[in-house]
Amino acid sequence: MIRRRTALLSAAAATFAGSARAEKKYGPGVTDTEIKIGQTMPYSGNASAYGVAGRLHAAYFRMLNETQGGINGRKINFISLDDGYSPPKTMELTRQLVERDQVLLMFYPLGTQTNTAIHKYMNQKKVPHLFLATGASKWGDPKNFPWTMGWQPDYHTECKIFAKHIVANHKDAKIAILRQNDDMGNDYLSGFKEGLGAGWEKMIVADATYEVTDPTVDSQILQLKNSGATLFMNITTPKFSAQSIKKVAEIGWKPVHYLVSVGASVGAVMRPAGIENAQGIITAQFAKDVTDPRWANAPDYLEWKAFMDKWNPTANQLEGSNVSSYISVHGLVHVLKACGDDLTRENIMRQAANIKDLEIPLLLPGIKVNTSPTNFYPIRAEQLARFEGDHWTLFGDLISADAG
Amino acid sequence: MARSWATKPHIGLWAIGFWVVLAALPLIGFVSDSPSFDYYLFMGQSMLIYAIAVLGLNLLIGFNGQISLGHSAFFAVGAYAAAILMVHASVPYWLAIPLAGIVCFGAGFLFGFPALKLEGHYLALATFTLAIAVPQLLKHKSIAGWTGGVGGVLLDKPDPPSFLPLSVDQFLYYVCLIVAMALFWIVFNLLRGRSGRAMMAIRDHAMAAGTMGIDTALYKTMTFGVSAAITGMAGALSAITVAYVAPDSFTLQLSISFLVGLVVGGIASLPGCLIGGAFIVLVQNSSQSISDWMKDAFSLRYDVPAWAIYGTLLLLLMFFLPNGLAGGIAAIRGLLSRVTQKT
Amino acid sequence: MEFFIQQIVAGLTNGAIYACVALGLVMIYVSTDHINFAQGEMAMFATFLAWAMIDAGVPYWVAFGLTIMVAFFGGLFIQRVILKPLENAPVLALVVCFIALLSIFNAIAGMIWSFTIKQFPSPFPSRDLFGNGLVSAQQLGVVAVTLVMLGLLTVFFRYTTLGLAMRAAAQNASSARLMGVRVSWMLALGWGLASGIGAIAGMLVAPIVFLDPNMMAGILVYGFAGALVGGIANPLGAVAGGFIVGVLENIVGSYVIGNELKLSFALVMVIGVLLLKPAGLFGRVIVRRV
């Protein structure tokens, strides 16, 4: 369904490759007035906490449509469907979006297992599978999967950053790990081991897992303390991050405490756990924590807040997803704008693989989005931060791990 | 009520006609240019798979009076068995499906033993716990070499044999259809024969059945086994059509979906299984639209979540249509025939 | 050795949570002969209501009391409106109803309050009691309140006329009617009480595990196991069972099978008890005459 209309529309936005003739080329799902975009999200089931992201996207596109008439004069028809975090369902809904609804691309589908299910399909059908909402590290493989691109710093990379910092600063530490028994936990662990290097077996003295259905992680924390560890690598999601921070303080264990970015929100984790218990914890960030008082007057924060208050009022502003999804949608908007009137799927991928030093609101200062035909990891840098007082204090330099 | 359709004259013709229609549907693909046709075939595959899963559950609940909230566990075992056989042992798909069924029969039979001593609520409780325990079990590192742990197992979809001019989706649809036809035919005959009568006797009055010489223990465990085998084969088909198995596909929510399909279609109704299977797929897809409609119609502040809709639907069904849609249709037909008789 | 003791203590404190939930389950079972799968979600929902009140400025104890009352009448309402019409329906219909209620409460709580965890205040001081962080005042508070509720319930069932009437209504409805007991109101009362107990359980547990819609999902399975192990018809048994399950879960998870098989262990416990001693450790065997 590619319509070619050779019209000399010099009013078009900057076209790539500097071609003087602005040709309108449309992929599926595109007309002069509309661009159809698809997404699958867990709006029900165990993972429904993450569905927040899709709602923010819907609100953002609504705002764009109503205040700016969309992107380059085309309104965004955003179809986000509930897959309940179940891979077969994701497969079905993705096929529906691609084959029946003829969307131009899939944006920010959420989940590692769910995206794994559609990975091959998207590449077989040559549909842009853009900016996946998962921290798994396997999405940046342009050679074998040229239509799939990740987005956020992947878990593997993040834990590698931690590991390298540990090796540089706490070489003789005995490490205890608490991790969620799922892809996220596994990915973090593998990156961690890789970053520690050949001696990881001697350094890790305890490794305890938990399920999302576990009421508490008290037993695991006790196990970890009992192992004699001096360093605690905390790979948990917010509820369990809060529980573990509280319990560690309660039993009087004082390890060097590293916490993954997923569980490091001030409002959703540190405050419930107890600010005084969280002192000295180290995490890595790529985005601003909006519950952190230090950003209260930053212009991008104020812009975000205004957007949330007006267009997404039922959302809980403490949720970290409301920041990462805000950042990702800016990325997509940039790609779409850069396409101009050439909205074919090929051009979408071309533009997506050609992002240079893009700055997006709510990214930490200095962190920019960069992609190239051989680098499909848009955001790779993070900065370490230490919890002091009631907020995170960034320290050190931006660390940009090599991809994968 | 349960067997009236089985003794209706011309039931054979209705059934045959129905299956023929189902078989003819993919052929539309040869004359249709619609790009979404493959997607509809995929949906058809899903509906058949759920119908088979509900069939297994129905055998246990509707025709044998036991209860299970844990059939997602057997679905998972079937899916993983097929995936492991196909990926690690290079077993062809047409063998993997029945083999998965056999594995699940064993699992169901074994579970049937402790289930013998459990009635009603207790059995519901035991199977509820099974459904919750299985996803964690699937991730265990001791079997991760085969199951792929949390990452699951990716499969390749089988190609249609070269002598058939079918697309992959058309071909897989026929595979699902053939398995469905075979299983429905087997169950239909099972129910009409001695075993079926024994099963239903146990359902209606276990103690009386026992005194009549029926080996209730044997029948109940066998039924559990067969029920698990059928649902397990649905799981195997699911592994093939989705080409991926992972622990998060098999949660308690899946068990509840089967239950919803069973109740909507009609307990102890074979046609109801097909209705139930279609229902699960269609309604899950439209829950979003229902939610959006409700938000607009009632000016709600929030999006009504899908599971709230299913839950309410279940309650309404229990009140107004306890025999499901199949029961409702039968009731309407009964009403019509009485009306036409009078005139 | 110290680690072992720590795990036991941690198990007891977890067990207190399970015991609390188990009490509510027992309440429903003793008064209605049903197992309420929605017990956890109802407790969670009540706790959210309490949280909303406290968030709006209502003092803790007022919110506490109000929530119990709302939960009581809510339970009553559910029994009257939803369950009573299905009194004579087969077990499956009731199970389906409970599952439906479970889904509805969970989904609606998520819709209104989102899935971010919330802090729930505790009436107990946050001092740690023995100086080594093993047992917090909050956890001891849970144990204490559970035991108090247990005591009250036992007294109620054994020594009051109303309690007797409720037990009679559950065990033999027709005979009870003949004795003048208003059976269906007894069932409703049972639900109301169970709902209230659940609300208390939720409000005790939330400060420890943090409040979110999926708070009770995992706890429920262990609560069931606890109720079964101890004897689902016996409040004392249920509480004891809850503690036993808590301790076993921790010990087995730490020493024997690892944390990744805890749920399977719960499954084995449930099935094992149902097979070997269905009345539970402290229950009495009920013989059904045909």
Side-chain angles (χ1 to χ4, degrees), chain B residues 139-152:
Chain B
K139 291 190 262 189
H140 199 259
K141 45 184 190 253
S142 60
I143 47 175
W146 285 331
T147 62
V150 290

Side-chain angles (χ1 to χ4, degrees), chain A residues 209 213 219 223 226 243 250 319, chain C residues 3 7 116 133 209 218 254 260:
Chain A
T209 64
T213 48
S219 174
Q223 290 167 22
N226 191 52
Q243 280 186 11
E250 269 175 18
E319 292 231 28
Chain C
F3 176 62
Q7 286 291 354
T116 324
V209 304
S254 305
E260 290 95 13

Side-chain angles (χ1 to χ4, degrees), chain A residues 285-312:
Chain A
Q285 295 183 325
F286 66 95
K288 294 181 179 169
D289 183 342
V290 291
T291 58
D292 195 329
R294 65 175 301 163
W295 304 118
N297 291 314
D300 52 357
Y301 165 74
L302 294 169
E303 186 190 307
W304 172 85
K305 185 141 185 14
F307 161 73
M308 292 294 283
D309 289 338
K310 177 150 190 239
W311 295 93
N312 200 7

Side-chain angles (χ1 to χ4, degrees), chain A residues 320-394:
Chain A
S321 299
N322 284 317
V323 171
S324 47
S325 53
Y326 186 75
I327 294 175
S328 60
V329 76
H330 277 78
L332 180 70
V333 168
H334 169 90
V335 168
L336 288 175
K337 282 197 175 138
C339 284
D341 279 329
D342 182 349
L343 287 158
T344 57
R345 288 172 169 165
E346 290 77 13
N347 195 28
I348 298 266
M349 285 318 292
R350 216 174 305 146
Q351 295 308 315
N354 227 319
I355 305 178
K356 292 274 173 281
D357 284 339
L358 173 65
E359 288 189 16
I360 293 183
L362 292 188
L363 277 179
L364 281 182
I367 294 190
K368 303 189 190 151
V369 182
N370 270 298
T371 58
S372 81
T374 51
N375 166 30
F376 271 27
Y377 289 98
I379 306 178
R380 282 177 300 157
E382 290 195 287
Q383 190 164 1
L384 293 175
R386 187 176 283 114
F387 199 72
E388 289 168 359
D390 65 351
H391 60 270
W392 293 103
T393 308
L394 298 163

Side-chain angles (χ1 to χ4, degrees), chain A residues 46 48-49 181 208-209 213 215-216 218-220 222-223 226 239 242-243 246-247 250-251 268 271-272 316 319, chain C residues 3 6-7 10 14 18 114-119 132-133 139 207 209-210 212 218-219 250 254 259-260 263:
Chain A
N46 287 336
S48 12
N181 188 16
T209 64
T213 48
T216 70
D218 289 359
S219 174
Q220 286 89 338
L222 284 173
Q223 290 167 22
N226 191 52
K239 173 171 161 173
Q243 280 186 11
K246 195 158 148 211
K247 190 68 184 175
E250 269 175 18
I251 59 176
R271 281 199 219 120
N316 184 338
E319 292 231 28
Chain C
F3 176 62
Q6 285 175 344
Q7 286 291 354
N14 264 11
Y18 306 148
S114 93
F115 287 86
T116 324
I117 60 171
K118 297 180 172 25
Q119 249 176 309
N132 57 0
Q139 289 165 327
V209 304
F210 297 111
D212 78 327
I219 297 178
N250 268 15
S254 305
N259 297 309
E260 290 95 13
L263 281 174

Side-chain angles (χ1 to χ4, degrees), chain B residues 178-211:
Chain B
I178 291 173
V179 175
M181 289 200 319
L183 289 176
F184 271 90
W185 187 80
I186 291 176
V187 171
F188 180 66
N189 283 302
L190 187 72
L191 290 173
R192 281 204 309 181
R194 268 195 71 188
S195 310
R197 288 199 294 275
M199 281 165 52
M200 289 188 265
I202 295 173
R203 172 195 66 190
D204 295 332
H205 206 304
M207 202 149 299
T211 53

Side-chain angles (χ1 to χ4, degrees), chain A residues 44 55 80 82 85 87-89 91-92 95-96 99-100 113 116-117 120 181-183 186 211 314, chain B residues 35-36 38-40 42 46 136 139 150 155-157 169 244 246 248-249 281 284-285 288 301 303 307:
Chain A
S44 64
R55 296 218 178 85
S80 177
D82 176 16
Y85 210 67
K89 196 79 203 156
M91 186 76 226
E92 190 194 308
R95 290 195 68 164
Q96 177 182 323
E99 295 173 42
R100 191 190 78 175
Q113 290 177 17
T116 305
K120 229 195 288 184
N181 188 16
D182 66 358
D183 308 296
N186 267 18
E211 302 290 328
T314 57
Chain B
S36 36
D38 276 344
Y39 163 68
Y40 290 127
F42 182 74
S46 294
Q136 190 195 37
K139 291 190 262 189
V150 290
L155 295 88
D156 284 318
K157 288 196 197 188
D169 279 312
Y244 179 58
D248 278 327
S249 312
V281 175
Q284 284 190 350
N285 285 0
Q288 192 95 11
R301 207 173 158 233
D303 297 304
W307 282 95

Side-chain angles (χ1 to χ4, degrees), chain A residues 67 179 187 335 337:
Chain A
T67 60
R179 61 187 170 89
D187 239 346
V335 168
K337 282 197 175 138

